[in-house]
Every structure is written in C-alpha cells, then in structure tokens.
Amino acid sequence: MLRPVDSFSAATLSWCIILRTWGLVGIVLLLSGCATFAPNPPQDQSNICEIFREQPTWYDYARDSQEKWGTPIATQMAFIQQESSFKSHIRPDRKYYLGFIPGPRPSSAKGYAQAQDPVWGEYREQAGSLFARRTSMKHATDFIGWYNHRSQQQAGISLTNPEHLYYAYHEGAGGYRRGTYRNKPQVINAARQIVTRTNRYQSQLNACEAEFQCRRFYQVWPFCRS
C-alpha cells in the first residue's frame, strides 16, 4: 500500500513526464519552423494574379522589396517559383546509402528563396535582422531584392535582366564573372525558364495589379501606393 508521500511522489513524477513530453513536442515544432502552419503553395503557379489572390500579403512583401532594392515584383516571384515552387520549408533531398541510411544534404539551402547558410548570414547582418527567417515570404522577397542589388553592384547586371541575375544568384558574383554557369546546362535552362516566367508574370500583373493596390480600408487615394 502506497503511503501518502509515495502517492504524491508518483503523481508528481507522472506530471513531470507529461510536461517534459509536451515540452519536447513544442521544441520540435519550434525547430521545424511550424511548417504545419505555413501557407500552402498556390494552386495555379502559372498566373501571378491567382498567386496574389490566394496570398495578397505576398504582393505587399514583393512591392516593398521592389521599392527598397529595385528588383521587379515579377522577377522576384519567378525566382521563388523556380527555387522552391512556393514551398516554405523545402530543402534539398538527402542522399541515402544502401537505399535507406540517410546521408547529408547536398547544401544548406532552405526556404522560399533556397538561400544557403553563409549568404543568409550575410543578409541578416547587412540588411535583414537576427529574426529574419528563410521560411517567411516577407524575408525571402527582401533577400532576393538585396541579393540582386548586390549582383548589380558587384557584377554590373541590370535589375531588368532576370537571366543574368539568376546566373549570379546561383553562381555568386565571382562565379558569374568567371562564367562558371556556361558549363552548367541545368543552370542555363533554369535561367531561361526564369525569363519566360518573368515575362508572363509581368504581363499578367499589368492587367491585375490595381486589384492589390489600395485594397485595405486605410489605403485610400492619394496616400496608397497606386
């Protein structure tokens, strides 16, 4: 028969186990970036109007980045579609040994913009903040704008040239100047897709952008950004 003290100790131990279990679950969710609560990728990724209709705040983020860094909205979204298909927590697939033993990932790329650890660290120090997250569309669009602005400064690439901006985005300014992309058919093909998608997105946005400007009750002419 348990004494009262033993009964109390057993109950306390049970609660400690429960709390520790839930604490571990909470940590896992935090470390995973709460992927469960991330927006679903747009259903129609071929139409920028439909993308912004599903996620109107994405227009605001891209517009802010354009005004801050100069990369057009259509180019930003074409980059993100190419890199991640608008999946917030995507990472490069692991290699598997013997078909089932997980190995390392080929790179540290992560998030909407597939930014890697070193350059993301530079971005957070120079232009972002310690709280910037690669799984946030707001920070991803700002990162792309910042990176392309840097490519313009370091390699002289026009912000209206999505093909060569993507070469620099993939290879870095130094690799771009050395022409390392020329021996990489996959990179060349991706850059050409970027151009096609940018042109299509821009044409679509020309027809529907007014829909996303001044849409809030406090965004009234002449103070909104139309």
Side-chain angles (χ1 to χ4, degrees):
M1 180 176 180
L2 289 175
R3 293 174 296 172
V5 174
D6 293 334
S7 178
F8 176 78
S9 299
T12 302
L13 179 60
S14 296
W15 275 109
C16 287
I17 292 173
I18 292 171
L19 290 174
R20 184 165 61 180
T21 300
W22 280 106
L24 291 173
V25 171
I27 292 172
V28 170
L29 287 174
L30 181 63
L31 293 177
S32 67
C34 297
T36 305
F37 304 105
N40 291 325
Q43 293 183 358
D44 184 0
Q45 298 187 13
S46 66
N47 191 317
I48 198 171
C49 302
E50 294 303 321
I51 291 170
F52 287 149
R53 284 173 186 138
E54 285 191 41
Q55 300 292 339
T57 56
W58 289 4
Y59 170 81
D60 297 333
Y61 300 150
R63 178 70 178 264
D64 288 342
S65 177
Q66 175 182 267
E67 292 180 348
K68 184 177 180 181
W69 302 111
T71 296
I73 293 173
T75 302
Q76 295 175 50
M77 302 307 284
F79 269 48
I80 291 173
Q81 201 286 327
Q82 182 68 39
E83 292 297 286
S84 66
S85 297
F86 299 104
K87 297 175 183 176
S88 61
H89 288 70
I90 193 170
R91 302 182 68 179
D93 292 334
R94 293 182 182 275
K95 294 182 178 179
Y96 283 85
Y97 302 104
L98 302 178
F100 66 94
I101 301 173
R105 298 183 190 276
S107 79
S108 59
K110 180 181 178 181
Y112 286 117
Q114 288 295 279
Q116 298 192 44
D117 290 349
V119 72
W120 186 256
E122 291 179 39
Y123 163 70
R124 294 207 306 177
E125 290 178 3
Q126 296 178 18
S129 74
L130 293 177
F131 302 102
R133 295 175 293 111
R134 284 172 279 187
T135 55
S136 162
M137 181 61 77
K138 178 178 181 179
H139 299 143
T141 51
D142 192 65
F143 170 79
I144 289 172
W146 167 80
Y147 196 99
N148 288 343
H149 176 73
R150 191 172 73 164
S151 296
Q152 181 190 44
Q153 292 184 319
Q154 296 180 349
I157 305 171
S158 170
L159 294 177
T160 60
N161 187 340
E163 179 181 4
H164 286 259
L165 286 174
Y166 186 75
Y167 291 147
Y169 189 81
H170 195 277
E171 302 294 298
Y176 173 79
R177 287 193 294 265
R178 294 191 301 272
T180 55
Y181 61 89
R182 295 191 182 99
N183 297 319
K184 298 180 179 180
Q186 289 183 333
V187 176
I188 293 175
N189 183 57
R192 289 172 178 169
Q193 291 180 36
I194 288 277
V195 173
T196 299
R197 190 174 299 112
T198 295
N199 291 338
R200 182 172 65 248
Y201 278 178
Q202 187 59 61
S203 177
Q204 293 165 345
L205 191 61
N206 290 341
C208 71
E209 187 169 12
E211 180 181 335
F212 308 105
Q213 298 168 328
C214 306
R215 70 180 187 278
R216 295 191 174 95
F217 72 92
Y218 57 83
Q219 293 177 315
V220 294
W221 186 89
F223 304 106
C224 63
R225 301 179 300 177
S226 59

